[in-house]
Amino acid sequence: MIQPTLLQPADRRLAAAAIASILLLGSARLLLDIFKTNHQPHLSTIHNKPSPPPIFLSPADRRSFSPAKCNPFEGQWVWNDDHNPLYTEDSCPYLVKQTTCQRNGRPDGAYQRWRWKPAGCELPPFEAAKMLDVVRGKRVMFVGDSVMRSQFESMVCMVQAAVPRGARSFDRVPPRKVFRAGGEWDVTLEYYWAPFIVESISDHATNHTVHKRLVSLDAIDKHGATWKEADVLVFNIREYDVATAYKVAMETWANWLEANINPRRQSVFFMSMSPTHLWSWEWRPGSDGNCFNETYPVEPAGRPYWGTGSNLQIMNIIGDVIGRLRRVKVTFMNITQLSEYRKDGHTTVYGERKGKLLTGEQRSDPKNFADCIHWCLPGVPDTWNHILYAYLLHSYRS
């Protein structure tokens, strides 16, 4: 029979130290295995990477817009002498000449004094720093045509003043434009030129004016390779002459979303068509003009106003395609109706054509040269972005 050996105090200390070393080594091995199993995402906690501070939500933020209780696209435009735009043409260096109506000679500025008021709620006050907080560390990408480019530039102008000059940059890398808000935010706002969403011969960022547009209705992967890394995607699509072609392009886009978007990480928005105001007889029977010299919105006359520039068949196609998505949720931004009233907000003869400002002779012929498609900035696209901000803030709040 083996007799137990009694350890002396010195031996007991040595044994305890050995056991402690074994336990420490085993713990280290266990932690290493955990790190290997879970890869890199958890290493930031070991390096004490600071978490972003929580966003302060004011009482106005908490009690305002909720999409379950309020449709922000139903309401009215309210005149307000005290309603100043969030930026001016002079304060934002990122606007293109096509949208700077005041600088280009437009004599009135009343179109900047109208505020959109939803019927059943209030939009939260837009705060540039809070918008950047909501998308901190993320890529927000606007994808579409020249109207979408205006919405992108509007959003850049709405937030840029909150970013110190040394922490912001703006780059043109066709087919993209990229605004970076560095420092504490690490946010990029991007624009990607894809007027038909699917691939076409109009995809060149600067040389896209062609007499006959050819569109590959089932080809989208070339564009999608850039989109798939964005955290927030905001799409629009230029209206097709044939509704069937529009439907096929939308279905190609929807299939791409289902195959490539991670709904747990990414948010997708789709902007409905931006209305045109090409014929004044729509709101002023008997007249023969267009949006030129219009200084007030269309009066609703007790019912929603729809002009012929808004194709309700296309609207139905959009709703049908988005409604059939199964894995990815797309928030439909129905900006068409609220923008229909704003016949006063277009660039008319105070913009560009083919990259050049209109000549005096062209300006004297508004019936042939007035642009009743694009919008002055500051202007109507700021409201679209205000509503987008309300959705993003609500998503954060939830």
Side-chain angles (χ1 to χ4, degrees), residues 43-77:
L43 291 177
S44 61
T45 58
I46 301 300
H47 293 163
N48 295 318
K49 183 178 178 179
S51 299
I55 300 173
F56 171 74
L57 297 178
S58 68
D61 294 329
R62 295 183 183 279
R63 67 172 176 262
S64 57
F65 170 71
S66 169
K69 300 177 181 178
C70 164
N71 180 354
F73 307 106
E74 293 181 354
Q76 61 181 329
W77 290 97

Side-chain angles (χ1 to χ4, degrees), residues 222-293:
K222 180 181 176 182
H223 294 325
T226 302
W227 306 343
K228 65 174 59 177
E229 299 304 321
D231 300 285
V232 179
L233 282 159
V234 186
F235 290 95
N236 85 344
I237 176 173
R238 179 172 291 178
E239 189 175 334
Y240 287 59
D241 293 333
V242 181
T244 304
Y246 189 97
K247 185 174 186 291
V248 174
M250 284 292 296
E251 289 172 342
T252 299
W253 168 77
N255 291 335
W256 182 89
L257 291 179
E258 293 279 58
N260 292 278
I261 293 298
N262 179 353
R264 298 182 63 183
R265 182 182 72 82
Q266 295 166 291
S267 302
V268 182
F269 296 84
F270 188 91
M271 312 296 295
S272 64
M273 70 190 76
S274 172
T276 62
H277 296 89
L278 303 175
W279 302 284
S280 62
W281 54 259
E282 295 181 348
W283 59 84
R284 191 182 303 109
S287 62
D288 188 33
N290 51 33
C291 66
F292 176 69
N293 265 355

Side-chain angles (χ1 to χ4, degrees), residues 207-228:
N207 185 21
H208 47 256
T209 301
V210 294
H211 294 294
K212 187 175 182 179
R213 292 186 171 95
L214 298 178
V215 179
S216 301
L217 294 174
D218 60 350
I220 199 171
D221 289 340
K222 180 181 176 182
H223 294 325
T226 302
W227 306 343
K228 65 174 59 177

Side-chain angles (χ1 to χ4, degrees), residues 371-383:
D371 181 348
C372 298
I373 297 173
H374 297 96
W375 304 92
C376 299
L377 291 178
V380 173
D382 301 338
T383 295

Side-chain angles (χ1 to χ4, degrees), residues 98-99 146-147 149-150 238 345-348 371-376:
Q98 186 179 38
T99 62
S146 54
V147 174
R149 182 187 65 205
S150 293
R238 179 172 291 178
H346 293 288
T347 57
T348 67
D371 181 348
C372 298
I373 297 173
H374 297 96
W375 304 92
C376 299

Side-chain angles (χ1 to χ4, degrees), residues 152-196:
F152 157 76
E153 290 170 354
S154 160
M155 180 63 86
V156 170
C157 291
M158 290 168 75
V159 303
Q160 55 96 26
V163 186
R165 288 186 180 275
R168 65 184 191 236
S169 64
F170 192 94
D171 297 299
R172 294 169 179 82
V173 188
R176 292 186 301 148
K177 292 184 176 184
V178 182
F179 172 79
R180 291 181 176 85
E184 62 182 289
W185 288 297
D186 189 26
V187 169
T188 62
L189 302 178
E190 305 180 31
Y191 165 70
Y192 186 99
W193 169 262
F196 298 100

